């Protein structure tokens, strides 16, 4: 006979079996519900650190952020042939995987149309008033950007400021990150070595001169809204620098580059510095992972492949040899032994 105490007390084994059965039923029911829910309604059962990232950061990793390629130019033959080469390589790279290149504009600051209007998308702007550039034609660059930004319809939110002697050798993504534009660090732009001069244009209350990035305006990828604020300041600072004899003598042909660097710092804009943005032969030897070749320097070599910089080489390529027209179609290749970049 089973007593009353035995009837009221379940065995431990039975309790374990009941609990296990209950768990299995509940688990299978949950899995069945999740499996049969519409796919778009499914959510993770635990916190995912990636899912918890801010929406705008997640979006920046997936959404294409096109930038408009803009290059300032004149109607001189020297500028024209460089623009044609640059535009050719832009078209070659624009639609390749990894590229975020958008539209293209040659900002022609000669004040009138020329014979490349049908070949290259062009926006005509006025040059500075006669004599204002004091023979330093590059001063027209910031003024050209001011006019273009005010008058043109630019669909993209970002702009790449480029130059005619840039060759795209790799599809270029948008290297800017939100309010941080991206620029190339030039070894000869050294704000810390010119503090006395720069304080004329960058007062102490704006912070140390190290806030001035070692860059020029090109190549730079920047938000259009930022450039709209910086461009007028860039123009005014550059003109003031040119009028200051001490500054003009010290900065020479890179004066306008310092003008952009100072203008950016005055607006509190600092740039991400990317050495892989471009290379400059013959000093940079290898192509590496760069996006742009800047052929601003002359390349002079002996027939043995030795650099003879400062002395005209047995083989040479210097864009300044072609001020009146483009290089010949049968331009000779460099001798064996020269760097890959050349």
């Amino acid at each position: 006979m089973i007593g009353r105490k035995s009837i009221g007390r379940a065995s431990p084994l039975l309790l374990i079996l009941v609990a296990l059965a209950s768990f299995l039923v509940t688990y299978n029911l949950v899995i069945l519900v999740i499996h049969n829910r519409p796919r778009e309604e499914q959510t993770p059962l635990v916190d995912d650190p990636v899912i918890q990232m801010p929406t705008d950061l997640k979006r920046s990793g997936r959404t294409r952020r096109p930038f408009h390629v803009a290059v300032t130019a004149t109607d001189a033959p020297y500028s024209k042939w460089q623009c044609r080469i640059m535009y050719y390589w832009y078209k070659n790279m624009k639609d390749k995987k990894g590229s975020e290149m958008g539209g293209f504009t040659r900002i022609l600051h000669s004040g009138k149309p020329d014979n490349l209007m049908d070949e290259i998308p062009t926006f005509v702007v006025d040059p500075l008033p006669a004599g204002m550039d004091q023979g330093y034609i590059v001063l027209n660059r910031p003024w050209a950007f001011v006019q273009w930004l005010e008058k043109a319809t630019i669909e993209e939110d970002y702009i790449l400021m480029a130059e005619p002697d840039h060759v795209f050798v790799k599809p270029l993504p948008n290297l800017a990150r939100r309010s941080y534009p991206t620029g190339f660090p030039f070894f000869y732009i050294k704000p810390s070595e010119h503090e006395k001069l720069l304080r004329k244009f960058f007062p102490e209350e704006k912070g140390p001169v190290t806030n001035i990035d070692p860059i020029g305006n090109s190549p730079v990828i920047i938000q259009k809204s930022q450039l709209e604020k910086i461009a007028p300041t860039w123009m005014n600072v550059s003109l003031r620098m040119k009028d200051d004899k001490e500054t003009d003598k010290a900065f020479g042909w890179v004066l306008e580059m310092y003008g952009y660097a100072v203008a950016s710092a005055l607006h509190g804009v600092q740039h991400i510095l990317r050495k892989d943005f471009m290379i400059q032969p013959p000093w940079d030897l290898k192509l590496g992972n760069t996006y742009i070749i800047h052929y601003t320097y002359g390349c002079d070599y002996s027939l043995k492949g030795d650099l003879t910089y400062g002395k005209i080489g047995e083989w040479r390529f210097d864009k300044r040899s072609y001020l009146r027209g483009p290089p010949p179609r049968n331009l000779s290749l460099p001798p064996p032994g020269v760097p890959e970049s050349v």
Side-chain angles (χ1 to χ4, degrees):
M1 256 178 104
I2 301 177
R4 290 185 178 179
K5 287 186 178 181
S6 298
I7 294 175
R9 183 187 301 152
S11 73
L13 179 60
L14 180 61
L15 290 175
I16 292 172
L17 290 173
V18 170
L20 181 59
S22 176
F23 169 77
L24 290 173
V25 169
T26 303
Y27 175 81
N28 286 323
L29 180 61
V30 170
I31 294 298
L32 184 65
V33 170
I34 293 176
H35 181 74
N36 287 285
R37 286 172 66 186
R39 190 173 296 273
E40 65 272 13
E41 294 181 6
Q42 294 183 24
T43 56
L45 297 178
V46 296
D47 287 339
D48 185 333
V50 176
I51 298 299
Q52 299 302 319
M53 287 175 64
T55 303
D56 58 338
L57 285 183
K58 290 190 295 177
R59 208 168 33 238
S60 69
R62 295 196 304 263
T63 304
R64 190 172 184 271
R65 299 176 304 140
F67 55 85
H68 196 96
V69 180
V71 56
T72 54
T74 73
D75 59 0
Y78 176 66
S79 177
K80 286 180 179 179
W81 69 256
Q82 293 178 60
C83 285
R84 295 184 73 193
I85 292 172
M86 187 216 180
Y87 184 57
Y88 171 88
W89 286 105
Y90 155 80
K91 291 189 295 182
N92 188 279
M93 295 294 170
K94 178 180 182 292
D95 296 323
K96 290 189 176 180
K97 183 178 180 180
S99 168
E100 291 185 282
M101 293 174 167
F104 184 102
T105 299
R106 179 181 64 132
I107 308 172
L108 182 62
H109 54 76
S110 300
K112 59 184 185 300
D114 65 5
N115 63 348
L116 293 183
M117 302 295 290
D118 294 332
E119 180 180 341
I120 304 175
T122 299
F123 191 90
V124 179
V125 297
D126 293 325
L128 288 167
M132 187 173 283
D133 65 14
Q134 302 180 52
Y136 180 51
I137 197 169
V138 185
L139 277 182
N140 285 277
R141 182 177 293 157
W143 172 225
F145 270 105
V146 169
Q147 296 175 80
W148 178 63
L149 289 164
E150 286 181 351
K151 300 175 182 178
T153 300
I154 307 163
E155 296 181 358
E156 297 85 354
D157 292 329
Y158 290 84
I159 292 168
L160 164 65
M161 292 186 284
E163 295 183 16
D165 57 355
H166 286 178
V167 172
F168 296 107
V169 291
K170 182 179 172 182
L172 180 59
N174 189 337
L175 302 176
R177 291 293 177 266
R178 288 201 268 185
S179 61
Y180 289 94
T182 294
F184 176 81
F186 289 91
F187 68 88
Y188 49 79
I189 302 295
K190 301 177 180 179
S192 59
E193 295 185 7
H194 298 283
E195 180 166 5
K196 181 181 176 182
L197 288 177
L198 290 173
R199 284 303 182 194
K200 298 179 181 182
F201 315 98
F202 189 75
E204 290 189 7
E205 57 265 27
K206 289 294 184 177
V209 292
T210 51
N211 286 351
I212 302 172
D213 292 325
I215 59 171
N217 84 290
S218 175
V220 164
I221 299 178
I222 186 171
Q223 287 182 340
K224 179 173 60 179
S225 58
Q226 289 177 308
L227 188 56
E228 287 171 340
K229 297 174 183 177
I230 292 172
T233 308
W234 170 27
M235 179 185 70
N236 290 327
V237 169
S238 298
L239 289 170
R240 286 174 56 207
M241 285 181 170
K242 188 64 181 175
D243 285 337
D244 185 273
K245 292 184 179 179
E246 186 182 15
T247 305
D248 184 26
K249 182 179 179 180
F251 291 165
W253 64 274
V254 298
L255 180 147
E256 168 269 338
M257 297 173 70
Y258 272 102
Y260 175 79
V262 169
S264 300
L266 287 171
H267 285 275
V269 174
Q270 290 191 298
H271 298 67
I272 300 168
L273 303 179
R274 295 281 300 253
K275 287 186 177 181
D276 62 342
F277 210 156
M278 74 177 186
I279 61 169
Q280 303 184 99
W283 309 120
D284 297 308
L285 305 181
K286 292 187 176 296
L287 201 59
N289 292 319
T290 195
Y291 298 97
I292 295 171
I293 292 178
H294 184 208
Y295 57 93
T296 188
Y297 295 106
C299 297
D300 289 277
Y301 288 87
S302 71
L303 294 181
K304 294 180 180 179
D306 297 322
L307 180 65
T308 62
Y309 194 78
K311 176 184 176 183
I312 294 178
E314 296 173 284
W315 180 91
R316 84 176 321 221
F317 176 77
D318 187 335
K319 65 177 186 177
R320 295 164 191 84
S321 300
Y322 308 102
L323 296 176
R324 298 182 179 180
R329 291 184 179 274
N330 61 345
L331 185 68
S332 63
L333 290 174
V338 304
E340 176 191 26
S341 61
V342 176

